[in-house]
Amino acid sequence: MAIYKFRKKCRLCSSTKFNLVLDLGKQPPSNAFLTKNQLKKVEKKFPLRLYICKKCFHLQLRDVVDKKYLFSHYLYLSGANKPIIEHFEKYANSVYKKILKQKINPYLIEIGSNDGTLLEKFLKFDVDVLGIEPAKNLAKISSKKIKVENKFFSKKLAKKIAEKRKADVIIANNVLGHIDDLDDFINGILKLLKNDGVFIFEVPHALDLLKKLEFDTIYHEHISYFTVFSLMKWFKNNNLEIFNIEKQKVHGGTLRIYVAKKNTHEIRKSVNNFKNQEIKFGINKLKTYESFSNKINKLKISLIKKIIKLKNEQNKIFGYGAPAKGNVLLNYCQINNKMLDFITDTTSIKQGKYTPGTHIIVKSPKIISKFSKQYVGLILAWNYKHDILQKEKKFLDDGGKFLIPVPRPVLVSTNNKKY
Ligand code: TMP
Ligand code: ZN
């Protein structure tokens, strides 16, 4: 496959009728951190544009960057964040209690098993587990404790695994949004799942993206932004149905969706509740997307103005956290190494590297203890803002400030804790 292609048809309904919602400009892949040597080379950049399908209202990118290019060495580690580890602990306990406990010799498969953090939580129960993880570095980390297939999930791989044993539960967290060929994916699920099996997945809710202006969660790796509205139609067309939905707090708001073969599980009220909430907001109206686009433009201008003002007042500004979405925000707002001195991040493999497109150095957060007044931390990992503000109480008490960019730029200090 070419490294970049433009998609003509909707991923869920094959329609060719779209509206452009938001143009975030040409951007490098948001996880493509650079070494000092790589700074000298020209970076590959690709258009980043959000579209809405006028037929099924599936929100998606049509600019597709080859997944092998994006994911072969993935720097996101599930095990690097405390809130995620806690989320997975509860997740495993809940899936075991609700589903796996009732099965004899249960078998669980996770697609996109990352560093194995979630699957490991199932080992204390009597559950056989298999991880499927395309990134070599991640598969290697997790294979010390669990069985891992170091491949992209596909119908072909599903068939091969299913020949030996089908799954009682298939889990895929933050995976569906990455998949270009969703037809192949859903056919793989149909092959691999037992007749009474359950497919559970977590995806960010597009309703949150629209309501809370989380525009920086739009990047090349995320090619779909799901609503219950469009998913229900899609599953129905594939003889599956959503039977339960739970809202989770991680990643700034996530949906956990339970899917099974038609007429095998009782459908909970939650499904229609979520769908009705979406319709009430207007997710099936094109003007909702125009209004979203206007608000993002305003946010960008307001953030740039705030940063320039802080700079003019002799503040030193640094980024707090270097998540992929931080890179989208920095590139879209053109905040580069002239505006930010450095970025701190807890992930050791990011430290010493430079942010894609904006070339800001990433450092260990240890250095924060040396700062106080005249320092402003731009919280790029804003989904963890509560944890961060608690953790950095000393920095704030010593006169440091934080700037939270989304959903509207707010400056937080000991005197102003409203955010
Ligand atoms: P995520 O939003 O994709 O989970 O990524 C969060 C990033 O922010 C990850 O690279 C780790 C970093 N981070 C910090 O540097 N400090 C923190 O306190 C937290 C919560 C995250
Ligand atoms: Zn569509």
Side-chain angles (χ1 to χ4, degrees):
M1 178 192 155
I3 200 163
Y4 165 84
K5 71 171 187 207
F6 185 69
R7 191 180 170 94
K8 292 200 175 71
K9 289 183 180 173
C10 169
R11 281 184 185 86
L12 294 191
C13 79
S14 297
S15 164
T16 53
K17 302 222 160 32
F18 293 93
N19 266 9
L20 175 66
V21 177
L22 193 63
D23 188 345
L24 293 165
K26 272 194 155 192
Q27 298 216 11
S30 54
N31 265 312
F33 286 86
L34 305 163
T35 60
K36 201 168 186 179
N37 274 336
Q38 286 170 325
L39 285 180
K40 293 174 209 146
K41 293 184 197 149
V42 179
E43 283 177 273
K44 282 203 173 68
K45 293 185 182 178
F46 308 95
L48 184 57
R49 295 171 290 189
L50 184 69
Y51 289 88
I52 184 82
C53 166
K54 292 211 272 195
K55 190 177 169 212
C56 77
F57 291 93
H58 181 47
L59 202 54
Q60 59 200 291
L61 302 190
R62 299 169 70 196
D63 300 301
V64 184
V65 182
D66 182 14
K67 58 187 177 184
K68 290 202 184 84
Y69 182 74
L70 289 178
F71 293 110
S72 57
H73 190 85
Y74 202 38
L75 290 184
Y76 177 81
L77 291 181
S78 301
N81 294 322
K82 213 171 130 222
I84 298 291
I85 298 170
E86 286 168 6
H87 173 70
F88 281 163
E89 177 84 51
K90 286 188 202 144
Y91 196 162
N93 293 347
S94 162
V95 170
Y96 179 72
K97 217 170 108 191
K98 278 194 186 130
I99 306 164
L100 294 168
K101 201 177 168 188
Q102 282 74 264
K103 310 275 179 188
I104 303 157
N105 192 13
Y107 187 33
L108 169 90
I109 296 177
E110 188 186 10
I111 302 169
S113 50
N114 198 280
D115 58 3
T117 308
L118 176 61
L119 283 182
E120 269 177 40
K121 307 279 181 212
F122 284 95
L123 295 179
K124 63 176 178 285
F125 306 118
D126 210 5
V127 176
D128 294 334
V129 300
L130 172 70
I132 300 172
E133 174 51 59
K136 245 190 213 149
N137 58 324
L138 296 178
K140 206 174 152 195
I141 296 173
S142 46
S143 64
K144 284 175 197 138
K145 287 195 177 162
I146 48 178
K147 209 172 155 224
V148 185
E149 283 272 2
N150 182 207
K151 290 199 178 89
F152 280 103
F153 180 73
S154 65
K155 186 178 154 194
K156 199 173 144 208
L157 179 65
K159 232 171 135 179
K160 199 189 102 191
I161 299 170
E163 273 165 19
K164 284 192 204 136
R165 194 174 173 191
K166 290 192 179 190
D168 294 284
V169 171
I170 302 174
I171 292 186
N173 301 320
N174 293 308
V175 167
L176 253 75
H178 296 300
I179 291 167
D180 187 27
D181 190 350
L182 282 169
D183 267 343
D184 182 77
F185 182 88
I186 202 74
N187 283 319
I189 296 291
L190 287 165
K191 286 250 172 301
L192 193 53
L193 202 61
K194 281 187 187 164
N195 261 341
D196 63 345
V198 181
F199 170 46
I200 308 171
F201 65 98
E202 288 193 349
V203 283
H205 193 187
L207 190 63
D208 286 323
L209 158 70
L210 297 167
K211 272 189 182 169
K212 300 187 210 157
L213 309 181
E214 298 168 351
F215 74 96
D216 51 352
T217 59
I218 300 165
Y219 44 90
H220 294 112
E221 290 168 13
H222 295 164
I223 43 194
S224 284
Y225 303 84
F226 294 103
T227 56
V228 173
F229 183 86
S230 54
L231 277 172
M232 278 173 84
K233 283 190 197 169
W234 181 57
F235 283 123
K236 197 174 165 198
N237 290 339
N238 287 286
N239 291 316
L240 292 162
E241 60 192 1
I242 300 177
F243 69 90
N244 193 17
I245 303 173
E246 294 163 352
K247 181 95 191 210
Q248 302 290 330
K249 279 190 186 137
V250 281
H251 299 300
T254 291
L255 293 184
R256 183 178 300 164
I257 301 183
Y258 297 74
V259 175
K261 295 192 180 170
K262 252 182 210 165
N263 304 323
T264 61
H265 287 69
E266 190 193 330
I267 297 181
R268 306 277 179 90
K269 272 191 197 139
S270 59
V271 182
N272 265 327
N273 288 350
F274 275 99
K275 188 183 165 191
N276 292 339
Q277 192 192 347
E278 292 175 351
I279 291 172
K280 205 171 152 201
F281 182 75
I283 62 113
N284 54 347
K285 299 215 167 61
L286 291 172
K287 70 170 192 301
T288 306
Y289 300 91
E290 282 168 30
S291 150
F292 171 74
S293 176
N294 292 336
K295 285 179 189 156
I296 301 305
N297 277 318
K298 279 188 193 139
L299 191 159
K300 173 185 178 172
I301 294 165
S302 150
L303 180 64
I304 295 172
K305 276 189 181 162
K306 269 220 157 72
I307 290 181
I308 292 174
K309 185 169 176 268
L310 286 165
K311 267 266 179 234
N312 288 342
E313 291 167 355
Q314 310 305 317
N315 289 290
K316 273 191 174 293
I317 307 175
F318 66 100
Y320 194 102
K325 62 176 163 306
N327 289 327
V328 176
L329 184 139
L330 297 174
N331 279 301
Y332 175 57
C333 299
Q334 296 178 358
I335 300 169
N336 58 20
N337 54 15
K338 294 199 175 64
M339 290 158 100
L340 297 197
D341 292 20
F342 55 86
I343 299 186
T344 62
D345 195 284
T346 47
T347 320
S348 58
I349 37 178
K350 288 183 188 174
Q351 293 163 10
K353 296 208 168 74
Y354 295 79
T355 54
T358 50
H359 301 180
I360 304 163
I361 188 153
V362 181
K363 296 187 173 184
S364 156
K366 275 183 203 147
I367 50 172
I368 294 173
S369 61
K370 297 190 188 114
F371 312 145
S372 57
K373 274 184 259 175
Q374 302 302 106
Y375 272 90
V376 180
L378 172 63
I379 301 190
L380 295 166
W382 47 257
N383 47 325
Y384 302 110
K385 64 184 175 191
H386 299 285
D387 298 278
I388 292 169
L389 292 172
Q390 238 174 15
K391 196 162 75 177
E392 300 300 346
K393 200 175 167 300
K394 189 177 176 299
F395 169 75
L396 282 167
D397 287 345
D398 290 347
K401 295 184 185 77
F402 281 114
L403 181 56
I404 303 171
V406 175
R408 64 195 159 80
V410 176
L411 196 63
V412 181
S413 64
T414 37
N415 303 326
N416 178 26
K417 286 187 177 144
K418 277 188 222 137
Y419 58 90

